[in-house]
């Protein structure tokens, strides 16, 4: 009977110790999991920020390239307009000279006859 009582007390003490150890282990595991989650979230946020910055840099480069293309197109347009004006002026001047020559020669022919 005494042995049964000692065994019962030892078993009860072991159960209490196991329950306490289980609580401590669970608490430690929860704290570790929370810390790990914090680290993972911070890393993900940092990676997200790095990726966002990279995306913004790429967008800026693309916008700069578009701006360069627009400037080049504007320069081409200016050259085309200037060349067009010069060509039109030359053609109009040549046409006026031809008309004057034709009129003078016609008038000269009419005057001589």
């Amino acid at each position: 009977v005494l042995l049964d009582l000692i065994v019962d007390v030892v078993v009860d003490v072991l159960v209490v110790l196991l329950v306490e150890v289980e609580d401590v282990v669970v608490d430690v595991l929860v704290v570790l999991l929370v810390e790990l989650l914090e680290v993972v979230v911070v890393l993900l946020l940092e990676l997200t920020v790095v990726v966002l910055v990279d995306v913004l840099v790429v967008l800026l480069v693309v916008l700069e390239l578009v701006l360069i293309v627009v400037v080049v197109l504007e320069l081409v347009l200016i050259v085309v307009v200037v060349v067009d004006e010069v060509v039109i002026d030359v053609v109009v001047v040549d046409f006026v000279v031809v008309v004057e020559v034709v009129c003078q020669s016609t008038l000269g022919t009419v005057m001589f006859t």
Side-chain angles (χ1 to χ4, degrees):
V1 171
L2 186 67
L3 189 67
D4 280 347
L5 188 70
I6 291 175
V7 166
D8 280 352
V9 167
V10 168
V11 165
D12 285 346
V13 166
L14 281 176
V15 164
V16 165
L17 279 174
L18 280 175
V19 165
E20 288 301 312
V21 166
E22 180 190 36
D23 285 349
V24 168
V25 166
V26 164
D27 288 347
V28 167
L29 281 175
V30 164
V31 166
L32 283 175
L33 277 174
V34 165
E35 290 296 319
L36 182 70
L37 274 173
E38 285 178 356
V39 167
V40 166
V41 165
V42 165
L43 283 176
L44 282 175
L45 284 174
E46 287 177 354
L47 282 175
T48 304
V49 166
V50 166
V51 167
L52 282 175
V53 166
D54 287 348
V55 166
L56 286 175
V57 165
V58 167
L59 281 175
L60 282 174
V61 167
V62 167
L63 285 174
E64 286 178 353
L65 288 174
V66 166
L67 185 67
I68 289 171
V69 167
V70 165
V71 166
V72 167
L73 286 175
E74 285 179 346
L75 288 173
V76 167
L77 184 65
I78 289 171
V79 167
V80 165
V81 165
V82 167
V83 166
D84 188 43
E85 289 295 320
V86 168
V87 166
I88 286 175
D89 289 348
V90 168
V91 167
V92 166
V93 167
D94 287 348
F95 181 73
V96 167
V97 168
V98 167
V99 168
E100 283 178 355
V101 167
V102 167
C103 287
Q104 284 177 355
S105 64
T106 306
L107 285 176
T109 308
V110 168
M111 290 179 128
F112 288 121
T113 55

